[in-house]
Amino acid sequence: DVKVTQSSRYLVKRTGEKVFLECVQDMDHENMFWYRQDPGLGLRLIYFSYDVKMKEKGDIPEGYSVSREKKERFSLILESASTNQTSMYLCASSFGQGRGTDTQYFGPGTRLTVL
Amino acid sequence: AQTVTQSQPEMSVQEAETVTLSCTYDTSESNYYLFWYKQPPSRQMILVIRQEAYKQQNATENRFSVNFQKAAKSFSLKISDSQLGDTAMYFCAFMKRSSGTYKYIFGTGTRLKVLA
């Protein structure tokens, strides 16, 4: 079974702190994604990566950056956390083009609260 | 720009009954993929069913089936013989792959409650 893990289930941070959310997948997937999930808004893509050191902005990248130094690991960074970044963050991964069915496999999520 | 609309924020169904969740989307593309994902309470999101737009035949996975109407841009999910374990948030998603990059759009979700 594909396993996608996220470093924390719950996280509480203060405004202005730098926050790291980590995601690891064990299925040799090329693609990895970070979403935020808010009630009434569904999932919105923040960033995705289709290879090591490669990244593309999603629909709401402002205030976030990402890092992918190894294929299995994709980090989301909040440079200076703000209260409007309080949300559930979901990581996902999938096979790259020509491999697999583009199905995304999700982690359990990190519920981040910024005070 | 592509959009995905789920017009039913909440639904409920009696155990063993059938329920249909609606999803419409807007795109000018001809080749794309559609998905239904399920997010049970406090658990990970998982794939329910997947449909390639170039396939006319509706996808089926056990008790889950879709009604894919490409011209109408409609992709509804039918759950037959509903079970308590089907209680979850359901998301419809559109995916388009183009030159190595991806466009993945999710709807706002439908919260389904199966009643005993």
Side-chain angles (χ1 to χ4, degrees):
Chain A
D1 278 352
V2 177
K3 197 163 184 184
V4 181
T5 57
Q6 294 183 228
S7 50
S8 307
R9 289 300 303 269
Y10 299 94
L11 209 52
V12 179
K13 295 292 182 181
R14 297 225 171 259
T15 301
E17 279 193 80
K18 191 168 186 175
V19 182
F20 293 87
L21 303 182
E22 299 241 304
C23 175
V24 177
Q25 49 92 6
D26 67 356
M27 274 300 291
D28 198 36
H29 284 171
E30 284 79 12
N31 301 327
M32 296 189 76
F33 306 80
W34 274 107
Y35 294 92
R36 64 177 281 176
Q37 181 180 5
D38 300 288
L41 297 178
L43 275 71
R44 292 178 292 166
L45 182 64
I46 304 171
Y47 268 98
F48 82 92
S49 168
Y50 51 92
D51 201 350
V52 176
K53 297 191 188 295
M54 306 302 285
K55 60 186 179 186
E56 284 207 19
K57 292 180 180 178
D59 298 316
I60 51 165
E62 298 78 18
Y64 303 95
S65 62
V66 290
S67 171
R68 193 162 179 206
E69 296 296 320
K70 293 185 178 181
K71 190 175 186 180
E72 68 271 18
R73 189 179 298 269
F74 191 35
S75 302
L76 179 70
I77 304 154
L78 286 66
E79 297 289 342
S80 176
S82 64
T83 54
N84 62 13
Q85 292 179 308
T86 291
S87 186
M88 170 72 88
Y89 290 87
L90 296 179
C91 174
S93 70
S94 71
F95 284 112
Q97 190 166 353
R99 294 180 66 204
T101 61
D102 297 308
T103 297
Q104 293 198 340
Y105 296 85
F106 286 84
T110 296
R111 188 167 293 282
L112 173 67
T113 302
V114 182
L115 302 175
Chain B
Q2 291 89 355
T3 59
V4 176
T5 301
Q6 293 179 251
S7 58
Q8 306 148 314
E10 292 188 358
M11 295 187 74
S12 61
V13 62
Q14 289 293 136
E15 201 175 4
E17 298 288 306
T18 295
V19 64
T20 299
L21 280 57
S22 67
C23 173
T24 58
Y25 59 94
D26 188 22
T27 184
S28 57
E29 306 285 349
S30 59
N31 194 19
Y32 49 87
Y33 301 81
L34 296 163
F35 303 81
W36 278 99
Y37 286 91
K38 167 185 177 180
Q39 187 179 40
S42 302
R43 292 178 61 190
Q44 277 165 262
M45 183 120 57
I46 57 172
L47 176 73
V48 176
I49 202 163
R50 175 181 183 270
Q51 174 86 42
E52 292 103 336
Y54 63 85
K55 288 188 177 178
Q56 292 188 334
Q57 187 171 5
N58 289 326
T60 300
E61 286 287 343
N62 302 313
R63 298 183 295 108
F64 298 88
S65 61
V66 298
N67 183 4
F68 174 47
Q69 303 284 332
K70 190 171 184 179
K73 297 178 183 173
S74 170
F75 183 60
S76 60
L77 175 69
K78 185 170 89 170
I79 306 173
S80 304
D81 186 26
S82 297
Q83 299 175 359
L84 296 177
D86 295 333
T87 292
M89 184 74 103
Y90 287 82
F91 291 96
C92 177
F94 166 100
M95 195 279 284
K96 166 71 181 172
R97 188 200 305 136
S98 173
S99 302
T101 190
Y102 291 79
K103 191 72 174 174
Y104 237 110
I105 307 291
F106 282 79
T108 52
T110 295
R111 189 177 301 278
L112 177 68
K113 196 167 192 175
V114 180
L115 307 171

